[in-house]
Amino acid sequence: MALPSENELLKAVQAGDDSAFARLYELYQERVRLAAWRVSHRPDWLDEIVNESWCRAFAARTSYDPARPFLVWMAGIVQNVYREQCRKSPLTLSSGMSKSVEDLDEIDPESVASEAELLSALNRCVSKLSDVDATIVRLRFFDDKPLRVVAQEVSISESTLRTTTIPAIMDRLRKCMTSQGYEISRIFSAQDPAESQ
Amino acid sequence: MRLHDRSLEAMLSSLGQARREGGFSGKAKSYPWQVAARPASGLAGSMRWIRVALPLAAAAAVAVVFVGPGLFGNRAVQDSSKDVLTATLSEHREVLADAESVTTDSTQLECDYNGDGVVDGKDIQAFLDRMQDPTGDPLLQAERLQRCLLGS
């Protein structure tokens, strides 16, 4: 038997189908977590925000409008949960790590959802890279290491890394993103402006 | 979706930050709404400690009743201790009923303070007499007698 499409799932959720909601959870949990991260930037609150958001979504599943993107609906719930969390623990906001409630009001759920979608898609593309390419991405972009250090780690000359390897990786990522429906319009430059001088 | 404002480099940087800050994590073993909707089983789980705590509390009350008067020799303390024992026994009768009957194995014989071959209430006076021994640790001895009387 063919799996139900996402639209069918959304309609089933709206009709109160628990198993359809569970299936949506499987599909969306990573992106909802990313939305929670995007909204809060609070690693210590993430689990609580995400779990509470799913609980509320489950409780309100019959009021969900299938015409609205599910992730946008979830992002709105995540923002509300985060606001409440901030009110409960106002002092923790002074850490500077998290987003303030005022900042939150400037972000709409659509933006949060689209960024979560984007990061999730990019993560999938990175996971498809070869081990060496993935290491380069990790060192250079995740850990923000200078090209010189990355070159030493992967035993590739710095100039080759700059002119050939990294642009090729970026091209692969760009194609991968395009295949998932995300078009990266700005041309990437592997060369750090500071390093090029 | 066309992305005009963000370079791939910036997105990768965000992705790295999300990874570092827990934006990606392992799959949960159960659905959050199911975990939240389990008050009955959760309560049962959280009450499990009572099965351990109640017998301990009862044993402590027994110890207070038998050891307290010997230590303090105060009638008021004795009376209140009896009240504690009565209340504890009536409240936790079922729990105490689960306790095994006293046996006469080698460990139990060590608790036979009056040497009559049976560990029972008559050993308490002998135990209290032994408490006068300045070389023994009264707390340890009280604990041992308590275990003997409860058969645990």
Side-chain angles (χ1 to χ4, degrees):
Chain A
M1 196 176 81
L3 289 172
S5 70
E6 199 167 310
N7 276 342
E8 288 169 332
L9 279 177
L10 294 173
K11 283 177 185 166
V13 164
Q14 203 262 344
D17 184 339
D18 291 2
S19 61
F21 193 85
R23 178 81 184 114
L24 274 184
Y25 172 79
E26 303 288 344
L27 289 173
Y28 279 92
Q29 65 156 338
E30 179 182 276
R31 283 171 281 176
V32 169
R33 189 175 180 86
L34 281 169
W37 169 77
R38 170 69 182 83
V39 164
S40 69
H41 284 274
R42 285 293 302 254
D44 53 336
W45 284 4
L46 266 184
D47 287 337
E48 195 174 337
I49 293 172
V50 170
N51 288 340
E52 177 61 22
S53 299
W54 278 109
C55 288
R56 289 191 191 184
F58 181 76
R61 64 195 183 284
T62 53
S63 65
Y64 168 67
D65 175 8
R68 193 180 186 198
F70 183 73
L71 190 57
V72 173
W73 183 61
M74 283 300 300
I77 294 174
V78 164
Q79 285 184 296
N80 288 335
V81 170
Y82 178 62
R83 275 192 195 96
E84 288 173 25
Q85 188 80 6
C86 289
R87 286 189 198 109
K88 278 193 283 184
S89 316
L91 292 177
T92 60
L93 287 174
S94 59
S95 66
M97 186 168 63
S98 59
K99 298 273 181 190
S100 71
V101 178
E102 289 74 26
D103 289 342
L104 196 59
D105 289 337
E106 293 171 6
I107 313 169
D108 55 278
E110 285 79 8
S111 304
V112 172
S114 79
E115 186 159 352
E117 294 268 17
L118 196 62
L119 289 175
S120 180
L122 187 57
N123 191 55
R124 282 195 297 277
C125 290
V126 169
S127 68
K128 290 177 185 170
L129 293 173
S130 69
D131 287 348
V132 175
D133 288 356
T135 302
I136 292 169
V137 167
R138 177 174 56 79
L139 292 171
R140 181 75 182 106
F141 301 107
F142 296 174
D143 300 344
D144 207 22
K145 301 277 188 200
L147 273 178
R148 176 180 48 79
V149 174
V150 181
Q152 285 171 351
E153 287 276 343
V154 295
S155 303
I156 297 175
S157 74
E158 192 175 334
S159 62
T160 305
L161 205 58
R162 179 186 294 121
T163 58
T164 310
T165 313
I166 288 183
I169 292 172
M170 293 300 123
D171 197 41
R172 279 195 280 281
L173 289 175
R174 201 175 293 112
K175 281 178 182 165
C176 175
M177 292 295 281
T178 304
S179 71
Q180 295 188 53
Y182 302 95
E183 190 176 333
I184 311 293
S185 60
R186 183 175 290 184
I187 302 300
F188 165 77
S189 168
Q191 198 166 2
D192 190 335
E195 290 178 351
S196 64
Q197 289 170 1
Chain B
M1 181 187 285
R2 191 173 179 84
L3 304 166
H4 293 282
D5 300 322
R6 304 190 62 188
S7 70
L8 192 50
E9 185 179 8
M11 284 192 289
L12 283 169
S13 179
S14 282
L15 180 61
Q17 191 184 356
R19 284 182 170 210
R20 280 194 302 277
E21 294 180 357
F24 292 89
S25 72
K27 254 186 170 180
K29 287 175 183 168
S30 53
Y31 301 122
W33 59 93
Q34 288 179 341
V35 174
R38 273 186 208 148
S41 60
L43 186 62
S46 65
M47 298 293 278
R48 228 170 264 151
W49 65 273
I50 289 181
R51 290 182 63 83
V52 176
L54 279 184
L56 285 177
V62 169
V64 166
V65 167
F66 289 124
V67 179
L71 288 176
F72 306 111
N74 182 322
R75 178 166 290 279
V77 171
Q78 289 180 31
D79 291 343
S80 64
S81 300
K82 280 177 189 167
D83 291 344
V84 168
L85 178 63
T86 307
T88 307
L89 291 177
S90 59
E91 277 177 27
H92 309 305
R93 195 180 302 278
E94 290 178 9
V95 176
L96 291 171
D98 290 341
E100 292 175 8
S101 58
V102 176
T103 56
T104 52
D105 59 19
S106 59
T107 310
Q108 296 299 331
L109 285 175
E110 289 176 20
C111 305
D112 182 13
Y113 289 98
N114 63 0
D116 63 358
V118 181
V119 177
D120 56 17
K122 292 173 186 170
D123 290 297
I124 295 168
Q125 187 54 52
F127 166 76
L128 291 175
D129 293 338
R130 191 174 294 192
M131 291 279 291
Q132 308 303 323
D133 176 9
T135 58
D137 182 345
L139 281 178
L140 283 177
Q141 290 180 24
E143 203 175 317
R144 168 175 285 187
L145 177 65
Q146 170 194 322
R147 278 201 301 271
C148 291
L149 290 169
L150 290 173
S152 58

